[in-house]
Amino acid sequence: MSNIRGLSFYKRKKKISKAHVREVFSWIFGMLIAAFMATVLNIFLGTMTSVVGVSMEPTLYNGQDVFINTFVYLITSPQRGDVVVFLPNGNVNSHYYVKRVVAVPGDKIVIQDGILYVNDEKSPWVMEKLVDAGIAANEFVLENGEVFCIGDNTDNSEDSRSANIGPVEEKDILGKVWFRAPCDEAGMGFVK
């Protein structure tokens, strides 16, 4: 008898192998990890804004995009040296201000002979002589929940020295600038 091979309408049952199950679970696990990472990044990188003006040069430049850590001040308070983003006096109709924290609650502030003193010591964050002392011409102490902010380009900065801004309340701070996007004047990188 000859072997005749022809069409067969017999269907073999497909078996689910362990390899297939492992691959499906690896895809599900990968998607869960991606969703978790996206959530975490959204919390830490959740906000981006552009610097307006030259008040933070040479650290940040006009029009440069910065990423804001909106989570950090939920668990800690601003520290001296932090570059923060805030709405002056909580005014939602204003643009975001980007400035450096030079004093924190309880610190004594005064500007004498163009030098910023914090707790009777020269501030390491302001190296230039300040032309305008503003409200800091008279010594005062920051109250609980207040920080004193100044732009790195001190002579071209509207900051806490201005009577219309004054000490910044922590509740008005959106977050800490932690990363800057590249621009023509400066590269990208972490903000110091």
Side-chain angles (χ1 to χ4, degrees), residues 40 62 76-77 79 81 91 108 113 119 154 170 185:
V40 168
N62 184 35
T76 185
S77 296
Q79 303 296 310
N91 182 359
K108 183 171 56 171
D113 300 322
N119 300 324
T154 56
E170 288 182 22
E185 291 84 2

Side-chain angles (χ1 to χ4, degrees), residues 6 27 42-43 49 53 67 69-70 106 133 141 167-168:
W27 276 94
N42 191 35
I43 289 170
T49 192
F67 293 96
N69 182 335
T70 57
V141 176
V168 177

Side-chain angles (χ1 to χ4, degrees), residues 97-161:
Y97 278 53
V98 180
K99 308 290 179 198
R100 186 175 301 279
V101 174
V102 294
V104 295
D107 284 348
K108 183 171 56 171
I109 307 282
V110 68
I111 296 175
Q112 293 177 334
D113 300 322
I115 298 171
L116 172 66
Y117 293 94
V118 178
N119 300 324
D120 299 322
E121 294 181 13
K122 285 183 180 181
S123 172
W125 303 108
V126 179
M127 304 311 272
E128 304 170 1
K129 266 198 149 188
L130 300 168
V131 175
D132 180 23
I135 65 169
N138 299 313
E139 183 177 279
F140 66 95
V141 176
L142 289 171
E143 294 183 14
N144 205 15
E146 293 181 335
V147 295
F148 198 81
C149 299
I150 293 183
D152 287 357
N153 186 357
T154 56
D155 290 334
N156 292 304
S157 178
E158 181 182 37
D159 47 43
S160 289
R161 296 172 291 166

